[in-house]
Amino acid sequence: FGFYFSNLSIAVLYLIAKDSLGSLSSEKAAAAERVANSQLVIQDVKHLGKTVAAMARFYVEKTKVATFNLNTPEEIIAAYTGGWWRIDREYRIALENFALIDGDSCRAKVEAAKDKFETDAQETFNEMNVAWTNLYSGGAVAGILSQENFYKKVYDPGVKMAFVISDALRYEVALEVMDRLNAERSSVTMRPGIASLPSETKYTKALLLPHSSVQFNIEKPICLDGSKATVSTADKELIVKNHCSDGVCVTADMLKSKSQVEKREIFKHKVVYVFHDTIDVSGHDAATGQDVAKACRNAI
């Protein structure tokens, strides 16, 4: 298939996807990937091939899960970090590549398969989520870093530290960031954490800042250290300085506007918090799943 031209490749992808990507999934993923890697097809067909390959791999990963209904939160976290995350990864890659197809006629060839895939994916995610919420009702999980204790557990006064808080950067997306960094600089590691409830930006994002006390209010959803606001970057910096006088807070957009020399000066501080929210903003703007998938790629 890697030597077929565009029109024949589109026909092959249509035939691969039209019956059921849930059967012979590994073989179909490999065939679609060969089409996507062909040097003879146009860009739309490459994205179409990657879409079909990712959808097929989704079913491969789904069939590896005997049940989502485990016995403890620790078991579910271990299962997710051990491989369940690949279900999320393939779903995102499928949506990302489908969104990159410009031609309507090309997209139409797998539209029915994609609709079926979307339905199956949402049922799978719901099953996974229900299994988790049936077991977890808040609080600590043995061996897992909690969001509320993040700074206390991670901060090391003996070294300069930078914390990049990327809102809505899911575990499987973070793994891809880690792989990128390891390819460039190596020695990057990763471990899971657990969000506080309710896991919504306005209530819990600020808990990643250093703090001694937490207060919830109606007007300002969360305040730290005796009613200190946490809304603006300046608010957050006041809280950081309360715990480390040589601490600063910036946004990723602020860093983009700085020169290399100015950036170096910022990171000479003992503690630097960088806030990055492009995925979260995309999700809140009534975007489609395809838009959020593209936002994930831009974030990476």
Side-chain angles (χ1 to χ4, degrees):
F1 299 149
F3 295 97
Y4 289 178
F5 288 93
S6 292
N7 286 344
L8 188 53
S9 292
I10 292 172
V12 167
L13 292 171
Y14 169 73
L15 290 172
I16 289 172
K18 81 178 184 72
D19 292 329
S20 173
L21 287 169
S23 63
L24 298 174
S25 303
S26 294
E27 292 86 346
K28 290 179 177 180
E33 202 65 58
R34 287 197 295 274
V35 172
N37 292 330
S38 171
Q39 300 302 308
L40 305 176
V41 299
I42 61 174
Q43 202 63 32
D44 266 4
V45 178
K46 288 182 181 292
H47 292 308
L48 189 67
K50 289 184 181 296
T51 300
V52 173
M55 289 193 297
R57 287 195 303 266
F58 168 89
Y59 290 102
V60 172
E61 297 302 328
K62 181 172 177 282
T63 57
K64 292 179 182 178
V65 181
T67 180
F68 291 114
N69 295 306
L70 304 182
N71 297 314
T72 65
E74 289 85 352
E75 286 182 11
I76 288 189
I77 292 172
Y80 188 86
T81 57
W84 287 3
W85 61 267
R86 291 187 179 90
I87 297 173
D88 282 328
R89 169 74 59 85
E90 299 303 345
Y91 177 73
R92 172 173 61 86
I93 290 174
L95 294 190
E96 176 188 339
N97 280 281
F98 190 77
L100 293 172
I101 301 169
D102 287 327
D104 290 341
S105 61
C106 201
R107 291 164 69 95
K109 289 295 183 181
V110 297
E111 197 82 56
K114 180 180 171 291
D115 288 346
K116 173 72 165 59
F117 161 74
E118 286 268 29
T119 299
D120 292 344
Q122 294 311 317
E123 288 177 355
T124 300
F125 299 143
N126 185 62
E127 189 179 348
M128 191 191 304
N129 290 338
V130 168
W132 170 254
T133 54
N134 282 341
L135 289 175
Y136 183 68
S137 57
V141 176
I144 304 297
L145 180 67
S146 71
Q147 186 172 8
E148 189 163 351
N149 292 323
F150 170 75
Y151 185 84
K152 293 176 187 175
K153 296 291 186 182
V154 175
Y155 175 61
D156 181 352
V159 295
K160 290 189 294 184
M161 302 191 79
F163 301 106
V164 182
I165 310 302
S166 186
D167 209 342
L169 189 86
R170 299 190 313 178
Y171 184 85
E172 60 89 5
V173 181
L175 277 175
E176 193 167 338
V177 174
M178 183 187 74
D179 290 342
R180 284 281 191 97
L181 292 172
N182 275 327
E184 295 174 11
R185 306 202 173 198
S186 73
S187 74
V188 180
T189 59
M190 183 161 149
R191 56 175 163 155
I194 191 162
S196 301
L197 294 176
S199 57
E200 188 175 340
T201 299
K202 64 182 180 179
Y203 293 115
T204 54
K205 183 176 179 179
L207 293 177
L208 293 164
L209 294 166
H211 61 275
S212 301
S213 63
V214 182
Q215 181 178 339
F216 291 92
N217 299 307
I218 294 175
E219 297 82 10
K220 297 175 182 177
I222 185 171
C223 296
L224 303 178
D225 293 346
S227 298
K228 285 187 172 67
T230 61
V231 178
S232 69
T233 304
D235 291 338
K236 296 179 177 74
E237 185 168 298
L238 285 175
I239 292 167
V240 171
K241 286 185 179 296
N242 194 43
H243 292 262
C244 176
S245 58
D246 190 25
V248 295
C249 290
V250 294
T251 66
D253 286 339
M254 289 166 64
L255 280 181
K256 285 180 185 177
S257 67
K258 303 291 184 184
S259 68
Q260 194 69 17
V261 172
E262 290 172 321
K263 289 175 186 175
R264 287 194 180 116
E265 287 301 312
I266 289 172
F267 287 99
K268 286 179 181 178
H269 289 277
K270 192 78 172 176
V271 171
V272 181
Y273 268 83
V274 181
F275 293 94
H276 175 264
D277 64 358
T278 55
I279 301 175
D280 187 63
V281 168
S282 177
H284 284 303
D285 286 345
T288 65
Q290 294 168 42
D291 292 326
V292 176
K294 287 192 290 186
C296 289
R297 176 60 53 203
N298 290 336
I300 293 167

